Amino acid sequence: MLSRISLPLARAARTPARTFASSASIAKDKQRLVILGSGWGGYNLARKADKSLYDVTVISPNSYFSFTPFLASTCVGTLEFRCATEPVRRLKHVSYAQGWAHSVDIAERCVRVVPALPPLHPDEGGSSASTVASGSSGAERHAPASPGDAYTLPFDKLVIATGCRSASFGTPGVKEHAHFLKDVREARAIRFALLENLEMASEPGISDAERRRLLSMRVVGGGPTGVEFAAELHDFVTQDVYRLYPHLRGLVRITLYDLAPGILQSFDHSLRAYAERKFARQGVEVRGNSRIVSVSKEYLEIAPKDGDGEPERVPYGLLVWNTGLQANPFIEALPGLDKDPKTKSLKVDPHLRVCDTSGTPLDGIFAIGDNATPNDGHRLPATAQVASQMAGHMAKTLKLVGRGARIENTPAFRWKDHGSMVFIGDYRAMVDRSKSRDDGPRARLSGFVAWIVWRSYYATLAMGWRNKILIPVYWTLALFFGRDVTNF
């Protein structure tokens, strides 16, 4: 049995150990449940965990939950950023600490946490006064604390829900020049860059070639995120940009690239064909079989399809990269655990317990969401749907265990595929339930009715009542008054 998972702490020996003090008093009959992450898995578990049995603490560098289906809408002003977030501190009877998990000590049942905040006791030289850039908007924040400022957080049950990060697959220049779309901060950076490009393209002394480059919007990745962003961008351009910037009419170019022959490969073939026809009519160019080999500040290079010759150089003004996910550094660095050889995610047993390299489940250590893979070899899609179902199952399991049941006697996790939805622009969407066991007679739906279903479902899925009210309000404002183009 694995007894210890520990990562080296650079300055731990020089810094006295500190223990996180929960803002809520811990009852003697409660167990300490620590959740790492505030995404679809971590946030939902924190909401649903039985607070009468567990003292719940969430550890995350983000003090909010990002509602990812609405991030593309926030990039163009269809919704405001607050509509796509829920504060962790609004959860009742849940403590929160803003930081990164740095190491886990199973023998001592504790987590070492590095604050995602300026250090309380900066080194000589005033590191607390230093700043680092926060996105392309030019906003700045204090440099975060170092591993030497880590503190100790004890636990009885630990749930790892740190999720994954956007993958660049080692393509040179992507991390430096492309925008990802997985968090509300990244959506804000995209919005800033998009509106800035429109203003620069409106400068009187700019050349035609530079104007065309600034108005060339490239989206890499033909999955649901890339498709929805391209669709939102198209609607923004045709409904608002050309109205507010009449001198730019007809100049914006939106291109969607994917390594596969087409887009939305996880959808039914008839729906894929419908989406591609719709994009063609809208003027969104889809370029399949495109392998991006490098990215610079002003252009990307695409490998020739026949494999011979020089890469094609394509200029861009905005590049949004959505090619998939990869394990985050914390998961990659955890030693002694069984991990999927492809995704590097943690292997879990049917009760979502993390397994060591011998395949033995660890007592009281669980993993859910994108960073968890069933140890039976059946990989689950890295989607919000899977993470949410894992969180709901985890909450029920912990409730049974908290009341005295043996975890081996609790139900095993079974994922139920409820289908997929995607927005494709111009008041149109697609719903695909063809792979669902209970798909019924309307397994495939497309067009305006599917758009109503898409909006209705996600509006009701919003976590808090504040956003359940605000989201329809902002949709209505955008419909009648247009999207806001204020840049700040």
Side-chain angles (χ1 to χ4, degrees):
M1 175 69 72
L2 181 67
S3 62
R4 182 179 294 267
I5 305 172
S6 183
L7 304 183
L9 296 174
R11 293 164 46 208
R14 293 187 290 153
T15 306
R18 296 184 289 130
T19 302
F20 176 78
S22 172
S23 59
S25 58
I26 302 176
K28 292 183 179 180
D29 57 340
K30 287 187 180 182
Q31 293 193 56
R32 295 164 297 191
L33 170 61
V34 174
I35 303 170
L36 305 182
S38 59
W40 283 95
Y43 186 84
N44 273 291
L45 176 57
R47 288 176 62 228
K48 297 176 180 180
D50 192 331
K51 311 307 188 299
S52 67
L53 299 173
Y54 294 94
D55 182 81
V56 181
T57 300
V58 174
I59 305 297
S60 174
N62 298 325
S63 62
Y64 55 85
F65 158 73
S66 282
F67 193 82
T68 50
F70 287 158
L71 291 182
S73 298
T74 65
C75 292
V76 299
T78 307
L79 291 174
E80 288 303 312
F81 299 112
R82 297 290 180 185
C83 296
T85 62
E86 292 288 348
V88 176
R89 286 198 178 276
R90 190 173 288 175
L91 295 175
K92 293 183 178 180
H93 311 296
V94 173
S95 300
Y96 168 72
Q98 189 164 344
W100 291 277
H102 189 272
S103 64
V104 179
D105 191 327
I106 292 179
E108 298 295 331
R109 310 297 284 182
C110 66
V111 181
R112 294 280 287 174
V113 181
V114 178
L117 296 164
L120 292 174
H121 305 288
D123 291 336
E124 185 175 351
S127 62
S128 65
S130 62
T131 56
V132 294
S134 178
S136 63
S137 64
E140 293 183 337
R141 60 180 175 82
H142 288 290
S146 67
D149 296 293
Y151 55 83
T152 300
L153 182 65
F155 65 83
D156 297 300
K157 298 287 190 296
L158 176 69
V159 180
I160 302 173
T162 54
C164 294
R165 59 180 178 175
S166 299
S168 63
F169 299 102
T171 306
V174 171
K175 293 181 179 179
E176 294 81 6
H177 305 296
H179 291 274
F180 299 108
L181 186 54
K182 188 171 170 59
D183 182 77
V184 70
R185 288 194 182 102
E186 295 169 339
R188 181 172 176 264
I190 291 173
R191 178 181 173 89
F192 183 91
L194 172 61
L195 295 176
E196 189 177 63
N197 281 6
L198 293 175
E199 295 300 334
M200 288 192 294
S202 301
E203 287 292 300
I206 192 169
S207 67
D208 289 341
E210 182 66 7
R211 181 179 287 109
R212 286 194 298 269
R213 183 189 70 80
L214 289 169
L215 299 178
S216 296
M217 314 299 179
R218 316 292 182 181
V219 184
V220 180
T225 301
V227 167
E228 288 191 343
F229 176 74
E232 288 280 3
L233 186 56
H234 164 267
D235 286 1
F236 173 55
V237 169
T238 57
Q239 297 171 13
D240 296 279
V241 171
Y242 289 160
R243 173 175 57 86
L244 299 172
Y245 300 81
H247 52 284
L248 301 181
R249 182 173 295 276
L251 298 180
V252 177
R253 295 289 181 266
I254 303 171
T255 310
L256 186 59
Y257 299 90
D258 199 277
L259 190 61
I263 59 176
L264 299 172
Q265 294 298 302
S266 62
F267 278 68
D268 179 80
H269 66 91
S270 62
L271 294 176
R272 292 201 306 267
Y274 173 81
E276 292 181 2
R277 290 196 304 269
K278 185 67 178 174
F279 271 6
R281 288 194 296 268
Q282 292 173 343
V284 177
E285 183 182 3
V286 176
R287 293 188 57 178
N289 298 311
S290 297
R291 182 169 64 90
I292 313 298
V293 294
S294 70
V295 175
S296 73
K297 186 177 180 180
E298 296 184 351
Y299 61 85
L300 52 86
E301 292 188 337
I302 304 175
K305 293 184 179 181
D306 56 8
D308 297 326
E310 293 294 323
E312 175 189 4
R313 285 191 173 185
V314 180
Y316 71 87
L318 178 69
L319 177 62
V320 178
W321 192 277
N322 297 290
T323 57
L325 303 173
Q326 66 184 54
N328 65 45
F330 172 71
I331 299 297
E332 290 180 324
L334 287 176
L337 299 180
D338 195 11
K339 301 176 185 177
D340 184 90
K342 181 179 180 181
T343 65
K344 307 301 180 185
S345 54
L346 300 173
K347 286 192 176 182
V348 296
D349 75 346
H351 304 286
L352 304 180
R353 291 179 294 182
V354 174
C355 301
D356 63 16
T357 51
S358 67
T360 304
L362 301 179
D363 181 42
I365 311 295
F366 305 88
I368 60 175
D370 298 345
N371 56 215
T373 297
N375 61 0
D376 61 4
H378 178 64
R379 294 191 183 101
L380 300 178
T383 62
Q385 183 182 152
V386 173
S388 297
Q389 290 186 31
M390 282 184 167
H393 180 85
M394 190 80 263
K396 293 176 182 178
T397 298
L398 290 174
K399 185 174 184 177
L400 294 174
V401 171
R403 291 181 174 178
R406 289 179 56 85
I407 192 167
E408 291 82 2
N409 298 330
T410 62
F413 173 72
R414 293 287 185 270
W415 174 56
K416 187 175 182 180
D417 188 352
H418 294 301
S420 303
M421 296 190 295
V422 63
F423 171 63
I424 57 174
D426 195 24
Y427 310 106
R428 299 293 185 271
M430 302 189 310
V431 179
D432 184 8
R433 304 188 72 236
S434 58
K435 298 177 183 178
S436 176
R437 294 181 180 179
D438 57 346
D439 52 77
R442 300 306 298 267
R444 303 167 190 83
L445 190 65
S446 61
F448 181 76
V449 175
W451 176 75
I452 296 294
V453 173
W454 181 87
R455 278 205 164 181
S456 301
Y457 176 74
Y458 281 128
T460 57
L461 196 61
M463 303 294 183
W465 280 106
R466 174 181 175 276
N467 278 343
K468 288 180 187 292
I469 295 172
L470 282 180
I471 288 166
V473 169
Y474 277 111
W475 277 338
T476 304
L477 290 174
L479 178 64
F480 287 101
F481 302 104
R483 299 166 179 83
D484 182 24
V485 293
T486 306
N487 204 8
F488 55 88

